[in-house]
């Protein structure tokens, strides 16, 4: 086995709602550069929700979400691919380059990295070209790391027939983290962690084990984009990822702290209870 494959993997998912324009926050870019210089294999996975919605509106298209997932017909799929793969992905590669990090832009379609399976909510609700990860191949990521670069992955992937699908970036990041046996999966979003009461920023949950998270999802599932994020986090923990962190993009050095320490920044999700 390549000795480099023993190096810890940190998967960072940067949500579309956390972007400043189409870029990472300066703190996040600096933190990623620090992780790379420290010898970690970093994978950046990104969504593009806000930018996709804005471009759709410019084209006169309406946006509909169901359980945090964007309904995606052919026109919306073109918007998703244009914005996420053609613009945001390249903007992020360029920004990392300016921060001293050599990066390569990819999507789940490249080299068959992610194979999509069409999502049917409840087995019946048709969201169009919305997929979930059915299979993950990590060989192209290891090639990029061996070349001394950071892969930046847009969450678009093709199904077994080669048809592109819009993949929720939280789910894509979790599937990649599980396949890579990542040390940590860090979700960077526009809120400073999981809140018991979304209207109360002081109600942040500091720590949850996977059984506690499972109970929360069954008893009181959150609304909007937090639902697919927590569902994906639970899948990642059950698949061997040791720790998932949810942190806010506005907090200084949140990415670095979440990736390297056990401080109480954001919300920490663990496979087992600390007790």
């Amino acid at each position: 086995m390549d000795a480099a494959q023993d190096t810890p993997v940190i998967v960072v998912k940067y949500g579309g709602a956390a972007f400043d324009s189409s870029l990472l926050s300066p703190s996040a870019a600096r933190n990623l550069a620090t992780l790379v210089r420290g010898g970690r294999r970093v994978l950046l996975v990104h969504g593009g929700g806000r930018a996709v919605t804005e471009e759709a509106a410019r084209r006169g298209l309406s946006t509909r979400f169901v359980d945090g997932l964007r309904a995606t017909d052919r026109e919306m799929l073109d918007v998703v691919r244009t914005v996420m793969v053609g613009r945001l992905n390249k903007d992020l590669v360029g920004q990392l380059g300016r921060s001293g990090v050599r990066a390569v832009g990819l999507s789940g379609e490249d080299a068959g990295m992610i194979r999509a399976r069409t999502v049917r909510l409840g087995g019946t609700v048709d969201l169009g070209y919305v997929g979930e990860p059915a299979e993950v191949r990590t060989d192209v990521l290891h090639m990029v790391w061996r070349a001394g670069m950071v892969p930046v992955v847009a969450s678009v992937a093709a199904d077994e027939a080669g048809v592109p699908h819009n993949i929720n970036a939280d789910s894509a990041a979790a599937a990649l983290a599980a396949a890579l046996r990542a040390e940590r999966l860090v979700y960077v979003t526009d809120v400073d962690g999981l809140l018991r009461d979304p209207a109360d920023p002081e109600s942040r949950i500091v720590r949850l084990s996977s059984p506690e998270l499972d109970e929360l999802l069954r008893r009181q599932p959150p609304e909007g984009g937090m639902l697919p994020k927590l569902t994906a986090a639970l899948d990642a923990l059950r698949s061997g990822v040791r720790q998932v962190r949810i942190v806010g993009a506005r907090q200084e050095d949140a990415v670095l702290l979440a990736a390297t320490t056990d401080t109480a920044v954001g919300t920490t999700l663990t496979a087992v209870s600390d007790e």
Side-chain angles (χ1 to χ4, degrees):
M1 180 182 292
D2 188 338
Q5 292 193 22
D6 292 330
T7 306
V9 172
I10 305 294
V11 176
V12 177
K13 183 269 178 174
Y14 212 84
F19 282 123
D20 177 10
S21 180
S22 58
L23 297 175
L24 305 168
S25 70
S27 173
R30 186 173 59 249
N31 288 177
L32 291 171
T34 299
L35 290 170
V36 172
R37 286 195 297 269
R40 286 176 171 82
R41 288 179 294 164
V42 175
L43 168 60
L44 178 61
V45 180
H46 68 89
R50 182 178 297 165
V52 171
T53 299
E54 290 172 355
E55 178 61 25
R58 279 192 286 270
R59 298 189 188 190
L61 303 177
S62 60
T63 296
R64 179 172 67 97
F65 286 93
V66 181
D67 289 348
L69 300 177
R70 183 190 302 271
T72 306
D73 60 12
R74 287 187 181 276
E75 290 180 303
M76 187 64 75
L77 180 62
D78 182 65
V79 174
V80 168
R81 296 179 85 200
T82 298
V83 171
M84 289 179 54
V85 181
R87 191 180 88 206
L88 289 180
N89 191 266
K90 304 313 173 190
D91 287 349
L92 293 172
V93 168
Q95 183 187 17
L96 289 174
R98 294 189 294 275
S99 300
V101 176
R102 296 173 66 211
V104 173
L106 300 165
S107 79
E109 292 183 74
D110 292 315
M113 185 192 315
I114 301 174
R115 181 169 63 81
R117 174 175 52 229
T118 303
V119 169
R120 292 283 188 273
L121 290 180
T124 59
V125 178
D126 185 359
L127 297 176
Y129 297 96
V130 175
E132 60 187 4
E135 183 180 352
V136 174
R137 297 180 58 178
T138 62
D139 49 344
V140 67
L141 300 176
H142 290 294
M143 289 173 61
V144 172
W145 283 320
R146 282 196 295 271
M149 294 179 280
V150 170
V152 180
V153 177
S155 58
V156 176
D159 65 12
E160 59 185 6
V163 178
H165 280 62
N166 179 17
I167 305 286
N168 177 273
D170 296 323
S171 298
L176 287 163
L180 291 162
R181 299 185 181 275
E183 179 180 87
R184 295 191 186 190
L185 167 59
V186 180
Y187 286 123
V188 187
T189 185
D190 60 338
V191 294
D192 295 330
L194 175 60
L195 305 178
R196 292 191 185 278
D197 177 2
D200 180 7
E202 301 300 319
S203 67
R204 176 173 59 92
I205 299 173
V206 175
R207 208 168 187 93
L208 279 178
S209 67
S210 57
E212 292 168 329
L213 176 57
D214 183 39
E215 173 64 18
L216 182 147
L217 288 171
R218 287 188 288 105
R219 178 173 42 83
Q220 190 179 1
E223 298 180 352
M226 190 58 76
L227 178 57
K229 191 183 311 296
L230 293 179
T231 302
L234 183 59
D235 288 342
L237 293 169
R238 287 172 168 171
S239 298
V241 176
R242 185 175 64 86
Q243 192 176 99
V244 179
R245 305 290 292 272
I246 302 173
V247 297
R250 293 183 297 271
Q251 180 162 343
E252 189 71 13
D253 293 329
V255 172
L256 185 62
L257 291 171
T260 61
T261 73
D262 285 320
T263 57
V265 58
T267 296
T268 299
L269 307 173
T270 59
V272 295
S273 173
D274 296 326
E275 297 179 356

